[in-house]
Structure formats: structure tokens, C-alpha cells
Amino acid sequence: MSIPARTRQEWQALDAQHNLHPFTTFKEIVDKGSRIINRADGVYIYDVDGNRILDGMSGLWCVNIGYGREELVQAAARQMRELPFYNQFFQCSHPPAIELARQLTEITQPHINHVFFTGSGSESNDTVLRMVWRYWSVLGQPERRIVISRKNGYHGSTLGGASLGGFGVVHEQFFGPIPNIVHIGQPYWYGEGADQDPAAFGLARARELEAKILELGPDKVAAFIGEPVQGAGGVIVPPETYWPEIQRICDKYGILLITDEVICGFGRLGSWFGADHYGVKPDLMPIAKGLTSGYIPLGGVLVGDRVAGVLKRDDDEFFHGFTYSGHPVACAVAAENLRILREEKIVEHVRDTAAPYFAERMSELAEHPLVGEVRTRGLMGAIELVRNKATRERFPAEANAAMTCREHCFRNGLVMRAVAQSMIVAPPLVITRAEIDELVDKARRCLDLTARDLGVH
Ligand SMILES: *Cc1c(COP(=O)(O)O)cnc(C)c1O
């Protein structure tokens, strides 16, 4: 092994000296030192000091089958020996990409029969934009360009992905969003609709899509994109009325429907894809993360027949793709990951066992004095922190409520992520009932410690 043994302090010093991290305030790393994780097994990660931590976030929403699966290691090693790299440009291909494409279309809805591979979720969303624009051009309607997305949605960090995303602070850093992308409101009932009935609120937020289409002109709108359940925005679970209404509006105006399945895909909601869970029929589905359980980078766009049919009769070349589109080693690992998900019935485990138990145990936390709402869907959950349960009053930003809780979690052997004023979790799909008990018990202890720090009783 070429990575030397060093102490935590040595790693932290070198990290601060040389390594710039994603989504990080760089100067904080110099002051505080980062957490150094050096191995993992099952649903647990270990830091260099040997502390065992239950990974309530599946890495970054991706280690669906859990850590330490030797079969994926073997699949990568076999493929590296056989053919470590070849590209798919200029009419070349290779068995791992072809086989994975075939297998993916077996688990999708019947109208989805093609895949365009990329290296990540962000690249998948850039690919979505390029496909949507090309689709309407080939159809002779190039003025249909506007893609409608949502505030507080997350679609990655390339310029296209970050523009689709709905975070104003992100847009400001690159003078974005890029042209032809507009945002409507999100179906965030607890935060934005609490004085309304959830069903009515869900309909109202979906109808913002129709209002926006009419405002812009239906002949100018190309597509709508949304995460089935928003992940990075804080596990925003839409009311039941939301997605059927979105589908109706897309159908009525003939605009393409895109569900960003980078988190919800591959079992997270107890179905293969979030679109299946909500009963919608997307034209395009960007995927990544759980596609390989994060063991190696790979993304793609699952393409429905409506779009594939038009793109396949384009006389021009589709001038788009990446060196690592359909990387053979990544495809071999993904195929092995799919085999494990299928043979071990992990999606069924989520649907029938893990998600119902997770929902039941998590809901107990709603009684905690610090908690305004607990919501779950599949194996995604959010705990909203409030100063006053009755009025839903929040803590002032300076109180750092969620970050305080996150620090307690790490110290007590649990990873939960802090998003604005909520704590979010999305554990590996293989989590057992006993491990869910451990997760919820630790979460409660950390909420107690946070309440004590914030002076809430
Ligand atoms: C993580 C994420 C992405 C971006 O994926 P990367 O692999 O980080 O580029 C896109 N969409 C959603 C919904 C995500 O959660």
C-alpha cells in the first residue's frame, strides 16, 4: 500500500496545507482540522483514531449496499485486468457499458430503453440540458428552450447543474444561473405552507408550474426538472398531490418531464426509482450515486422512447460526451452492484422492512422539545429543529443549532447532516432494525445535548 501511516494530527496538517475540499469554507479547515476517515464496513465508518461511527448519510447518499462488499472489489479488479479503459466515442463501444445499459433498462419503466453514460450526477444534468435542447431543435421548435426547475432543488455543481439547482447563494458566486433556466417554488409544507392543508399546498405548488408556463408562453418551455424527494435541500417530501399534478401539467403542455434520480434511484424510496414511487412517467432520469453504491464514480441519463426516438433520427452528430462516459471499470462495478441489489432483494428490504421501521422509530423523535417536525420517505429523513414547537419559531442563525447538533453526532458515533435548521439522514439501504434502533437512540441523545447547549427544556 502506497499510503503511509500517519497520525491524525499529521493528516490534518497536510490536509490544511494542500487539499481544497468541495463545499467548504477553506479557512475553517485551517482553524479546526478536518475529520479523517480511513476505513469502513457495513453501515459504519471509522476515523483515524479508531472511533466507530454509524454512517447515517451513506457517505453522500450513495453507499446503498453498505461498505466492504468484496464482490465490487473483485469486479473492478477483473475489469481492470481485462480492459481498464476504452472510450465510447466515434462508434466504439465495449461489453461492460453495453451490458450495463441493457440491465438498467430492465429495471426502468417499459418506455425507458436507452442510457447515456457520464461520470457523475452533475454531468448527467448537463447531459439532460443538452438532450432537451437538441430534442426540441430536431423537432423544429428551437424556441422551446426554457427549463423550469425549483428553488432549493439540487442538481449538481457544474455550471449547468448549479444553474438548475435553486440556491441563490450558489448562483451569486458565478453570476448565474445560465440563460433559459427559471425556478418556481418548492413543495416544502412545514417550512412554507404550514397554515394550509398539505394536499392543498401540494396542488398550489405544482400549479406554480402551470402559471409559469403560461407566463413564459407554452411554446417557449422545454422541460420541467425536479428531484422526487429533494435531498440536499433538506429532505423535502412533497405532499401526495404534488407529483400527479406536475405530470398532468407536463402532459397538457407537451413539455418534457425529468426526475432527477441521483439520490432517489436504486432503492432509496423502496422502489427502483423515485418516479416509480410517485407513479409518474419521466422522459429523462439523471442517475449517479447509488448506481455504483459510490464505490467508483459513474453517472448516466436514462432516456425514454420519446426523446431517444427523436435523437436517433437526428442527421447531425450529438456534440456531447465525456472521456469517461461508460468507463468500463465503473460499468463493471455498477453491474455487480445491481446484481447485489437484485439478488439480496435490497429494494424490497427497504420497502417492506427498513423504511416502515425507520418511519416508526424516527417519528418518536417528534416529541422531543427541540423538534418541530420529523418527516421520512423510504430511507430518507429530516428532523426540523425549532425554538418553539407551537409557533414553529426557529433559532437565530448565530445559534448554529443544526451545526451544534452535528458536532454532538460525530462525537457520539453518528453521522447526520445539518441543512439550514434541520438534521437529515439517509442510511445505507442494508441497515437492520437493530442498527435503526442505534441510529434513533443516538439521534435522541444528540438532540438532548443540543437542547442543553441551546437552553431548551
Ligand atoms: C448529488 C446530486 C447531484 C450531483 O451529483 P455529483 O455526482 O455530485 O455531480 C445531482 N442531483 C442530485 C439530486 C444529487 O443529489
Side-chain angles (χ1 to χ4, degrees), residues 281-300:
K281 193 178 168 213
D283 297 296
L284 296 163
M285 299 200 297
I287 55 174
K289 295 195 171 118
L291 169 58
T292 57
S293 284
Y295 279 54
I296 197 165
L298 182 67

Side-chain angles (χ1 to χ4, degrees), residues 61 119-123 125 154-157 227 232 260 262-263 288-289:
W61 322 88
S120 69
S122 301
E123 290 176 6
N125 280 310
Y154 187 76
H155 300 289
S157 202
E227 301 155 81
D260 183 337
V262 172
I263 288 176
K289 295 195 171 118

Side-chain angles (χ1 to χ4, degrees), residues 311-374:
L311 295 181
K312 283 178 117 171
R313 59 171 204 260
D314 188 354
D315 293 325
D316 286 335
E317 178 174 335
F318 185 51
F319 296 114
H320 176 75
F322 306 98
T323 302
Y324 300 128
S325 282
H327 191 287
V329 178
C331 288
V333 170
E336 189 60 18
N337 180 58
L338 279 187
R339 185 191 67 72
I340 289 174
L341 284 168
R342 278 172 142 164
E343 286 182 12
E344 299 181 9
K345 301 203 183 312
I346 291 170
V347 183
E348 292 85 342
H349 164 75
V350 175
R351 187 190 64 204
D352 301 334
T353 307
Y357 192 62
F358 177 70
E360 179 191 324
R361 293 288 341 256
M362 285 285 286
S363 71
E364 293 167 18
L365 298 174
E367 283 135 43
H368 195 279
L370 205 55
V371 176
E373 183 194 52
V374 175

Side-chain angles (χ1 to χ4, degrees), residues 53 69 80 113 117 145 203 236 330 368 420 429:
I53 304 165
R69 292 300 300 248
M80 281 207 187
N113 293 296
F117 287 115
R145 286 193 194 158
L203 279 182
I236 309 297
H368 195 279
L429 307 188

